[in-house]
Amino acid sequence: IQVDGHPAVARPPRVYLALNKPPGVECTTDRDVPENIVDFVGHHARIFPVGRLDKDSEGLILLTNDGDIVNGILRSEHGHEKEHLVTVDRPVTQAFIQGMVRGVPILDTVTRRCEVAAVGKNTFRIVLTQGLNRQIRRMCRHFGYNVRRLQRVRIMHLRLGRLGPGEWRALRTAEIAPLLATRADPGTPGAATDVRPARPTLRLRAR
């Protein structure tokens, strides 16, 4: 097949994965970094993480070889939600929750209003629509709290569910569709028709 007299280059099948990242894995494509996320997953496609979780954090992160969806998911003005469970080093108070909800001065700005609710003595749930560097840890530190565990449990409509630490699975077609809708031009020819997700499977990386 030729296009304008030149051989057409076949686009590789698009890959969309959900990983339960354990602590210690670095969200980088730099293969020289020990425990980089690309080698950790070991997928045959040239995938990269959508956004990041810092090395000490864990939970849901997406990986793909579809660069068209990245900005649509990550740009803060789109307001896509990311939900986390956070355990801190002392009891969560109402004053702490209210302060987190209103916004916290970090990194020369004030964080957006967010949803926060206590779910245990030292544990709370927080839903963010922005992704500043180490945002939750910095917000907690502003009030004198230190994070002991930070786990992302949801990105937009995608939930961590029963994925164990280090396990990943391919997204289902119904899960991929809302990600494609985040593109600047979701009506681009071929935007949805060439999605070929693998049959959903679980993979635990050998340690």
Side-chain angles (χ1 to χ4, degrees):
I1 300 175
Q2 292 191 336
V3 178
D4 295 332
H6 300 283
V9 178
R11 169 180 281 178
R14 291 176 179 169
V15 174
Y16 305 88
L17 307 178
L19 166 71
N20 184 352
K21 186 191 91 66
V25 173
E26 293 269 17
C27 289
T28 178
T29 57
D30 185 346
R31 308 292 283 272
D32 292 329
V33 174
E35 293 297 330
N36 68 82
I37 197 168
V38 175
D39 286 338
F40 181 85
V41 173
H43 198 275
H44 60 83
R46 296 184 63 181
I47 57 174
F48 52 86
V50 180
R52 59 174 287 116
L53 279 171
D54 64 60
K55 184 176 181 179
D56 297 328
S57 299
E58 61 189 283
L60 182 62
I61 190 163
L62 304 181
L63 297 105
T64 185
N65 60 353
D66 182 359
D68 293 337
I69 69 170
V70 176
N71 284 339
I73 294 173
L74 297 182
R75 293 186 64 144
S76 61
E77 60 264 33
H78 294 165
H80 296 313
E81 294 184 343
K82 298 178 180 69
E83 183 176 343
H84 304 76
L85 285 177
V86 186
T87 300
V88 288
D89 59 346
R90 57 195 181 90
V92 173
T93 65
Q94 191 61 32
F96 168 75
I97 291 175
Q98 291 175 351
M100 295 282 280
V101 168
R102 284 194 297 265
V104 182
I106 61 170
L107 298 173
D108 299 321
T109 188
V110 177
T111 60
R112 287 182 177 177
R113 289 184 64 88
C114 59
E115 298 178 28
V116 184
V119 295
K121 182 179 179 182
N122 288 43
T123 305
F124 64 94
R125 185 183 304 273
I126 182 169
V127 179
L128 300 178
T129 57
Q130 64 183 147
L132 303 177
N133 180 258
R134 299 177 69 87
Q135 179 172 343
I136 295 173
R137 296 178 187 275
R138 293 177 189 274
M139 291 171 71
C140 289
R141 196 174 301 125
H142 177 80
F143 295 104
Y145 287 75
N146 292 306
V147 171
R148 293 291 182 238
R149 185 186 184 196
L150 196 161
Q151 180 187 44
R152 183 188 290 158
V153 296
R154 179 171 65 88
I155 300 172
M156 298 171 58
H157 59 290
L158 300 170
R159 294 187 177 275
L160 183 62
R162 297 182 179 180
L163 277 181
E167 290 181 344
W168 60 263
R169 68 174 179 86
L171 299 187
R172 301 172 180 87
T173 300
E175 295 175 315
I176 296 169
L179 302 181
L180 299 183
T182 66
R183 293 177 177 179
D185 182 12
T188 301
T193 57
D194 60 352
V195 173
R196 287 180 282 174
R199 184 177 64 183
T201 56
L202 297 181
R203 179 69 59 84
L204 178 61
R205 192 227 193 212
R207 304 298 290 161

